[in-house]
Amino acid sequence: VIAVDANGADLGPAEVAAGAAIAAAQGVRVLLFGPATELGPAPEGVEIVDAPASVAKSGDPARAVRATPEASVVQAARAVRDGRALALVCGGGTGAALAAGLFEIGRASGIRRPALALPLPVPGRPAPVTLIDVGASAEVRPEHLVQFAFMGSAFAQAVLGIASPRVALLSNGVEPERGGSVVRAAHERLARAAPAPAAGLATGLGRDGGAMAFMGNVEGDALLSSAADVVVTDGFTGNVALKLIEGVSGTVLRAVRDAALGSVRGRLGGLLLAPSLRAFRAAADPELQGGAYLLGLRSLAVVPHGRFARNGFAAAILRAHAATREDVVGRTHAALRDAGALRGEGAAASREGAASEAS
Amino acid sequence: VIAVDANGADLGPAEVAAGAAIAAAQGVRVLLFGPATELGPAPEGVEIVDAPASVAKSGDPARAVRATPEASVVQAARAVRDGRALALVCGGGTGAALAAGLFEIGRASGIRRPALALPLPVPGRPAPVTLIDVGASAEVRPEHLVQFAFMGSAFAQAVLGIASPRVALLSNGVEPERGGSVVRAAHERLARAAPAPAAGLATGLGRDGGAMAFMGNVEGDALLSSAADVVVTDGFTGNVALKLIEGVSGTVLRAVRDAALGSVRGRLGGLLLAPSLRAFRAAADPELQGGAYLLGLRSLAVVPHGRFARNGFAAAILRAHAATREDVVGRTHAALRDAGALRGEGAAASREGAASEAS
């Protein structure tokens, strides 16, 4: 069972309900929280809980979540906490999901901070590149980035099916000494905890045989290449990068469209090119990825973009279900434990972390 | 006279010499430092100084610049310091330009740190968007971002001809409380120093009547929009953003090309569309902008990208000449002085800065 908050989508709660129906038709059971009057009759496999109150448009989601226990996202998160559902899907924005997730579901044991992971579809690449964090923590310490690396790696294994994710730190140069002091310290710890495999040898084996390999620093263009499967950064840089990717690809595609509309010759060219470009757009469609994944809670939360249509919400529910089945939370814990990077236990990395946490 | 370092360009010193010849033909005198054997006979208006030693490929430019006083970039910077030239153009990388600029030319009075400004051409926008800093300072304090804002504004006025630049801080949300502690503090100081004009009123007037208006925070996509003329960030985020822009636009354009090559129909469409797309590529051509501008030294330094061809180097030399004529250094000083944001003098903002500088 997946708990779904129907409030917050640009197209309204009925669109989320339509997404839930698609996911339910594929065998996932859904507990749907939202205004019953707008959700229509419950499809097979979907149980509707009337929860008209919404905090999705709040300017201060943390306060709104605290002040509105009856809000749909809070009720959905509580269903996960109480074991009535295994994961949360919330289209009402990352702020609301983060607040409801932290207050109701809680951080997983040993996790310092949750992080938002976003799988970025890259045309021509077999699996998306996962960017973590895209906005949960604007300011981080090295031990946070280390945990984000292991969280992102476990996510790429469990949700994207990448057996041995190559993990890199986003920096302003590939050399280990690039970046600010936080990135440099994280680089040093990750190089110790999960050294890159020499010539195809897998290291850093987790409980289930999956491996994470730290590849060092990458620059911004690595988000669009095959250099790494998981790119780790703070929530400030990750959010700037995400908005920039949306902005640049939109600008270039608009320029192509304008070129195709600017003359008769261009219009004809655009018509001929359109089917091939549709394939590119489909491969780069963010809705297929389900949205952003809030990692580090006791259960997974998925945050589809508010502008998604029903297929995007269906993808989020199906991905949440698959991630639960693949035990992304358990894998994350095991990988962090094996690397001694859990909070309050383990080896040197963890003690250093606790020391700087206290300072 | 502009001092030009001919070493470091991907296409070799002769390509830089060809760029110098183009600029000289338009009336700018050039002092060209590089291997005389490769530079050929000096064109009209170009004086060649034989300086074969290069630090352009050094992994540690600061050390290489110190250790190699005879290097072409060091000699070129010294020519600026000694008044034999008014500005420096160096295609041997930002690291070498920064080191040679700091050691030989020196910081301008009252400037805390130099910054690299990059004018980004945006198709459909009359003037480029200036991103500052794109890599000189990976870690900054609020008073650095405040100075970057005024430096970027003076640059946009003097070099890009924008009368009243709208300046914004890059952040992970538009609200003033977004960003890390450094960005939040810079936001507060800038809002005090240069409040945005209400309904068309120009405020923050500089010595020459030009105005800078602080518009608040913008997100990553603002680099591709009309939201701001100058976008201020630290060198870490700015460098990640820059590489990302190059990566995303390259990926999308490659996808369009692949679509145009994948079928007979697509190939025909691509052929028909090509002339219009060439116009887009020309509008977005980074060579026209001359490269990155190192601001905050006693004289301007321009750093064309190493992969530029002769037209890019010519643009850098012509822009350096124009910026000198428009007194970008003097304008920057005046704007900072008027805002009380110079180091070691002025009003509250400056005293706070000095306090945190000492801490």
Side-chain angles (χ1 to χ4, degrees):
Chain A
V1 180
I2 306 297
V4 178
D5 171 20
N7 280 315
D10 294 353
L11 297 173
E15 191 71 16
V16 181
I22 295 170
Q26 296 186 39
V28 180
R29 286 171 56 214
V30 175
L31 204 50
L32 187 64
F33 296 82
T37 51
E38 294 182 49
L39 295 175
E44 178 78 28
V46 177
E47 184 185 334
I48 289 177
V49 179
D50 187 28
S54 171
V55 296
K57 303 290 172 223
S58 161
D60 186 346
R63 173 186 288 205
V65 160
R66 270 186 228 261
T68 324
E70 72 280 17
S72 54
V73 66
V74 181
Q75 290 201 49
R78 211 178 300 134
V80 174
R81 183 193 67 190
D82 297 344
R84 285 178 288 143
L86 293 171
L88 171 68
V89 171
C90 159
T94 54
L98 184 57
L102 274 174
F103 298 155
E104 298 294 336
I105 302 175
R107 278 186 301 185
S109 140
I111 296 287
R112 297 170 184 282
R113 279 197 199 163
L116 270 168
L118 190 83
L120 294 162
V122 178
R125 205 178 183 284
V129 176
T130 298
L131 180 62
I132 180 171
D133 169 35
V134 296
S137 292
E139 269 179 314
V140 300
R141 292 191 298 272
E143 57 270 27
H144 297 139
L145 292 178
V146 169
Q147 285 204 335
F148 294 176
F150 283 97
M151 287 155 73
S153 174
F155 169 80
Q157 291 180 331
V159 177
L160 305 179
I162 300 172
S164 304
R166 292 162 306 147
V167 177
L169 274 172
L170 188 59
S171 191
N172 59 335
V174 296
E175 304 86 358
E177 66 273 14
R178 298 305 286 269
S181 51
V182 172
V183 169
R184 289 198 305 271
H187 188 288
E188 198 194 311
R189 293 185 197 189
L190 281 168
R192 254 187 289 136
L201 269 173
T203 59
L205 288 170
R207 184 171 52 179
D208 49 4
M212 134 163 175
F214 177 59
M215 313 301 292
N217 288 344
V218 289
E219 298 183 88
D221 52 1
L223 288 169
L224 282 303
S225 76
S226 319
D229 301 304
V230 177
V231 176
V232 177
T233 191
D234 61 87
F236 180 88
T237 311
N239 187 274
V240 166
L242 178 58
K243 298 290 164 60
L244 200 49
I245 292 171
E246 294 172 355
V248 177
S249 56
T251 299
V252 176
L253 286 173
R254 256 194 312 280
V256 173
R257 194 196 55 197
D258 291 350
L261 293 175
S263 66
V264 174
R265 180 185 165 142
R267 227 183 319 259
L268 183 55
L271 279 173
L272 291 168
L273 209 50
S276 321
L277 279 180
R278 268 196 291 275
F280 162 68
R281 277 173 187 270
D285 182 5
E287 299 210 9
L288 292 180
Q289 305 304 326
Y293 293 75
L294 185 53
L295 306 176
L297 302 178
R298 283 200 200 96
S299 303
L300 179 70
V302 188
V303 192
H305 200 293
R307 64 162 188 265
F308 278 10
R310 58 191 66 190
N311 285 329
F313 287 97
I317 297 166
L318 291 167
R319 284 282 181 97
H321 177 248
T324 306
R325 203 181 47 213
E326 295 289 334
D327 191 20
V328 67
V329 173
R331 278 180 196 243
T332 305
H333 187 87
L336 286 167
R337 186 197 57 211
D338 294 352
L342 286 171
R343 182 181 184 170
E345 59 170 66
S350 190
R351 279 202 302 276
E352 284 169 31
S356 84
E357 183 107 20
S359 73
Chain B
V1 181
I2 305 297
V4 177
D5 171 21
N7 280 314
D10 294 353
L11 297 173
E15 191 71 16
V16 181
I22 296 171
Q26 295 185 39
V28 180
R29 285 170 57 217
V30 175
L31 204 50
L32 186 63
F33 297 81
T37 52
E38 295 182 48
L39 295 175
E44 177 77 28
V46 177
E47 183 186 335
I48 288 177
V49 179
D50 187 28
S54 171
V55 296
K57 302 290 171 225
S58 162
D60 186 346
R63 172 185 289 204
V65 160
R66 268 186 230 260
T68 323
E70 73 279 17
S72 53
V73 66
V74 181
Q75 291 200 50
R78 211 178 300 133
V80 175
R81 183 194 66 190
D82 297 345
R84 286 177 288 144
L86 293 171
L88 171 68
V89 171
C90 158
T94 53
L98 184 58
L102 274 172
F103 297 155
E104 297 294 336
I105 302 174
R107 277 186 300 186
S109 140
I111 296 287
R112 296 171 185 281
R113 279 200 200 162
L116 270 168
L118 190 82
L120 295 161
V122 178
R125 208 179 180 285
V129 176
T130 298
L131 179 61
I132 181 172
D133 169 34
V134 295
S137 292
E139 269 178 314
V140 300
R141 292 191 297 272
E143 57 270 27
H144 298 139
L145 292 178
V146 169
Q147 286 204 336
F148 294 176
F150 283 97
M151 286 155 74
S153 174
F155 169 79
Q157 290 181 331
V159 177
L160 305 179
I162 300 172
S164 304
R166 293 161 305 148
V167 177
L169 274 172
L170 188 59
S171 191
N172 58 335
V174 295
E175 304 85 358
E177 66 274 13
R178 298 306 286 268
S181 52
V182 172
V183 169
R184 290 198 305 271
H187 188 290
E188 199 194 313
R189 293 185 196 188
L190 281 167
R192 253 187 290 137
L201 270 173
T203 58
L205 288 171
R207 183 172 53 181
D208 49 3
M212 133 162 174
F214 177 59
M215 312 302 291
N217 288 344
V218 290
E219 297 184 89
D221 52 1
L223 288 169
L224 283 304
S225 76
S226 319
D229 300 305
V230 177
V231 176
V232 177
T233 191
D234 62 87
F236 179 89
T237 311
N239 186 273
V240 166
L242 177 59
K243 297 290 164 63
L244 201 48
I245 292 171
E246 294 173 354
V248 178
S249 57
T251 299
V252 176
L253 286 173
R254 256 194 311 281
V256 172
R257 194 196 54 197
D258 291 350
L261 293 174
S263 67
V264 173
R265 179 185 166 143
R267 226 182 321 257
L268 183 56
L271 279 172
L272 291 168
L273 209 50
S276 321
L277 280 179
R278 268 197 290 276
F280 161 69
R281 277 173 187 271
D285 183 4
E287 298 210 11
L288 291 181
Q289 305 305 326
Y293 293 74
L294 185 53
L295 307 176
L297 301 178
R298 284 201 200 96
S299 303
L300 178 71
V302 187
V303 192
H305 200 292
R307 65 160 188 267
F308 278 9
R310 58 192 65 189
N311 285 329
F313 286 97
I317 296 165
L318 292 166
R319 285 281 181 95
H321 177 248
T324 305
R325 204 182 47 215
E326 295 291 334
D327 190 21
V328 66
V329 173
R331 279 179 195 243
T332 304
H333 187 87
L336 285 167
R337 185 197 58 212
D338 293 352
L342 286 171
R343 182 181 184 168
E345 60 171 64
S350 190
R351 279 202 302 278
E352 283 168 33
S356 84
E357 184 108 21
S359 74

